[in-house]
Amino acid sequence: MKILQINATCGAGSTGKICVAVSKLLTKENIENYILYSMGKSDYPLGIKYQGDKYTKLQALCSRLSGRYGFTARSSTKKLIKELDRIRPDVVHLHNMHAHNCNFSLLLSYLKREKIKVFWTFHDCWAFTAYCPHFDMIGCDKWKAGCHHCPQFKQFSWFFDRSAKLYKQKKEAVEGLDLTIITPSQWLADLIKESFLKEYPIKVINNGIDLSIFKPTESNFRKRHGLENKFILLGVAFGWENRKGLDVFIELSRRLDERYQIVLVGTDESVDKKLPENIISIHRTQNQTELAEIYSAVDLFVNPTREENFPTVNIESLACGTPIVTFKTGGSPEIIDKTCGMVVEKDDIDGMQRAIERICDNRPFSQGDCLKRAQNFDMNDKFAEYVELYEERK
């Protein structure tokens, strides 16, 4: 059996790390495998880059001008198909296919013609909408019957709303494909069952993390920042905006008394301009070990995200022994149970404040229970489920 994964990145970002983790498990099982990717650099020996970064930027521009998000990039898709012809995989596993790295119709037509078994991990909702990876914040459900007059199209196209056409093209491209869909969360699996993809088999495989890195880790973080006598509330995101709850943290910083200190990781100078002085901003960590040190040093991980699939930051926090409070958004609540955190209705800032104060004052969640819950998301166990799924299709 020969497996080929296709993704925007290889070893970078959440999806790129998943690809490499799966690849390493396949190699350990003596299964020939490769990763085709389009963005950035990678020294992973089984990674093959099929698209240049300049071309990616050009396709992003073409998509903005034409409104044909996901249906440009014909030239690089032909190069991708040449690699497929050369490798001749038995299974193709798709990941992020909307990073201006693929002409959707062209690739799927090839996979159908060659009768290749396809697995596709949905890391968001793009596969069954015209444009949108997420639609929770605007409360749109047009995707259930057919996208049109997209309320978010200007995020993807400067001039044209082609949502009705793209939805139809996407639906036609998938028809007849030998496809199994994989989702990290039950929440996303349930959405798919209401979409045009509802007839395809769906398998839920949660994201996993490296528990040899994310574990209770001692540091001088509290002392270094003068926070020895504070309740530290941590937020971690990459691309801070209101979708990730930036405004919620700003409001909490006004409401919570001097016993509390909010720390945000993954910020930048533009975010700093929005933050009040009483929030500590950390632009980036040197490595994952340093991030584990921060998770381990704080009292509570706060995740007021409004659009989410299955956030690994929640798992990372639990693995370092730190409980969570999160909005009831996407698959975020699925990561915790009654032993390690609390779930608050989305946008209920009053409820989130009460949860924070209760957890910090009463300490209802132990480090041991958080660590026990995190064991359910061991990267080695989770990604082994991918290998088992491939084996079933031999």
Side-chain angles (χ1 to χ4, degrees):
M1 183 169 59
K2 198 180 296 185
I3 310 293
L4 188 146
Q5 298 182 81
I6 305 175
N7 188 49
T9 59
C10 177
S14 58
T15 58
K17 290 174 183 175
I18 289 171
C19 288
V20 169
V22 172
S23 175
K24 288 180 176 178
L25 284 174
L26 289 169
T27 301
K28 189 176 180 180
E29 297 290 327
N30 295 315
I31 298 173
E32 185 178 352
N33 72 94
Y34 305 92
I35 301 170
L36 294 181
Y37 70 102
S38 60
M39 294 173 58
K41 296 179 180 179
S42 174
D43 57 3
Y44 186 63
L46 299 179
I48 302 168
K49 189 169 183 178
Y50 67 90
Q51 178 172 300
D53 292 338
K54 289 183 179 179
Y55 185 86
T56 301
K57 292 179 181 179
L58 177 62
Q59 293 311 303
L61 177 60
C62 290
S63 179
R64 287 280 188 177
L65 291 170
S66 68
R68 299 182 65 248
Y69 183 39
F71 291 86
T72 59
R74 292 187 65 86
S75 176
S76 69
T77 306
K78 290 177 181 179
K79 292 180 181 178
L80 172 58
I81 289 171
K82 283 185 179 180
E83 290 291 345
L84 289 166
D85 277 333
R86 180 180 66 82
I87 296 170
R88 305 303 299 174
D90 300 293
V91 170
V92 167
H93 188 156
L94 307 177
H95 290 272
N96 181 1
M97 303 308 298
H98 59 93
H100 311 292
N101 58 339
C102 169
N103 182 292
F104 195 65
S105 292
L106 197 59
L107 175 61
L108 266 59
S109 293
Y110 170 86
L111 296 173
K112 285 188 282 188
R113 186 171 65 250
E114 297 298 317
K115 296 181 171 57
I116 297 174
K117 173 62 193 173
V118 178
F119 293 92
W120 190 356
T121 298
F122 288 7
H123 299 284
D124 53 41
C125 305
W126 180 83
F128 54 92
T129 70
Y131 284 114
C132 304
H134 299 283
F135 43 72
D136 273 11
M137 283 184 67
I138 60 167
C140 181
D141 64 357
K142 292 179 180 179
W143 53 273
K144 293 182 181 180
C147 292
H148 59 90
H149 299 91
C150 176
Q152 297 193 112
F153 86 90
K154 288 191 176 180
Q155 294 184 26
F156 311 97
S157 171
W158 285 329
F159 305 112
F160 307 106
D161 175 7
R162 303 198 190 279
S163 54
K165 182 177 181 179
L166 293 183
Y167 181 90
K168 182 180 178 183
Q169 282 184 293
K170 208 173 280 189
K171 184 177 179 180
E172 290 174 349
V174 175
E175 286 176 356
L177 195 65
D178 184 3
L179 172 65
T180 296
I181 298 168
I182 301 168
T183 67
S185 65
Q186 186 61 50
W187 166 81
L188 184 53
D190 292 341
L191 288 184
I192 294 167
K193 292 172 185 176
E194 298 184 76
S195 76
F196 64 76
L197 296 168
K198 60 187 175 185
E199 302 301 326
Y200 290 92
I202 304 170
K203 171 75 172 178
V204 177
I205 300 179
N206 298 144
N207 292 334
I209 65 167
D210 189 341
L211 295 181
S212 69
I213 295 175
F214 290 100
K215 59 186 178 181
T217 308
E218 291 187 7
S219 72
N220 64 349
F221 180 82
R222 280 181 172 270
K223 184 176 181 180
R224 191 166 69 246
H225 290 278
L227 304 176
E228 291 96 328
N229 299 313
K230 295 280 191 177
F231 290 130
I232 307 177
L233 312 177
L234 176 65
V236 178
F238 301 96
W240 277 107
E241 55 186 336
N242 285 358
R243 186 172 74 85
K244 292 292 185 179
L246 180 64
D247 60 313
V248 177
F249 278 113
I250 293 172
E251 178 61 24
L252 287 171
S253 75
R254 299 188 184 108
R255 296 185 179 200
L256 295 169
D257 62 40
E258 67 279 356
R259 295 178 301 158
Y260 297 88
Q261 177 61 59
I262 295 172
V263 176
L264 299 186
V265 174
T267 54
D268 57 26
E269 291 181 357
S270 64
V271 174
D272 289 345
K273 293 176 182 178
K274 303 175 184 178
L275 297 179
E277 292 183 358
N278 63 344
I279 292 180
I280 294 176
S281 172
I282 299 175
H283 287 192
R284 61 181 63 84
T285 55
Q286 295 298 314
N287 49 50
Q288 289 184 315
T289 299
E290 185 183 352
L291 184 56
E293 291 175 356
I294 299 174
Y295 281 124
S296 302
V298 307
D299 296 282
L300 181 63
F301 183 74
V302 180
N303 193 353
T305 180
R306 293 182 171 97
E307 289 183 326
E308 203 65 70
N309 182 0
F310 199 80
T312 54
V313 289
N314 286 12
I315 310 171
E316 292 167 359
S317 178
L318 292 179
C320 295
T322 301
I324 299 165
V325 59
T326 180
F327 277 160
K328 188 177 180 181
T329 306
S332 189
E334 296 175 33
I335 296 170
I336 65 176
D337 62 16
K338 63 182 180 180
T339 70
C340 60
M342 295 180 66
V343 177
V344 177
E345 289 297 324
K346 185 169 67 175
D347 289 326
D348 183 0
I349 301 179
D350 292 336
M352 179 155 278
Q353 180 181 353
R354 288 193 297 270
I356 289 169
E357 292 172 341
R358 177 189 165 193
I359 294 170
C360 289
D361 287 340
N362 300 330
R363 303 287 183 173
F365 309 117
S366 70
Q367 181 188 71
D369 284 336
C370 292
L371 298 177
K372 183 179 179 181
R373 180 62 180 169
Q375 289 296 322
N376 292 289
F377 307 104
D378 186 321
M379 175 181 73
N380 296 312
D381 295 336
K382 292 289 104 181
F383 299 144
E385 294 183 39
Y386 281 117
V387 180
E388 292 171 7
L389 205 57
Y390 300 148
E391 295 280 359
E392 290 173 7
R393 297 296 304 193
K394 274 187 176 180

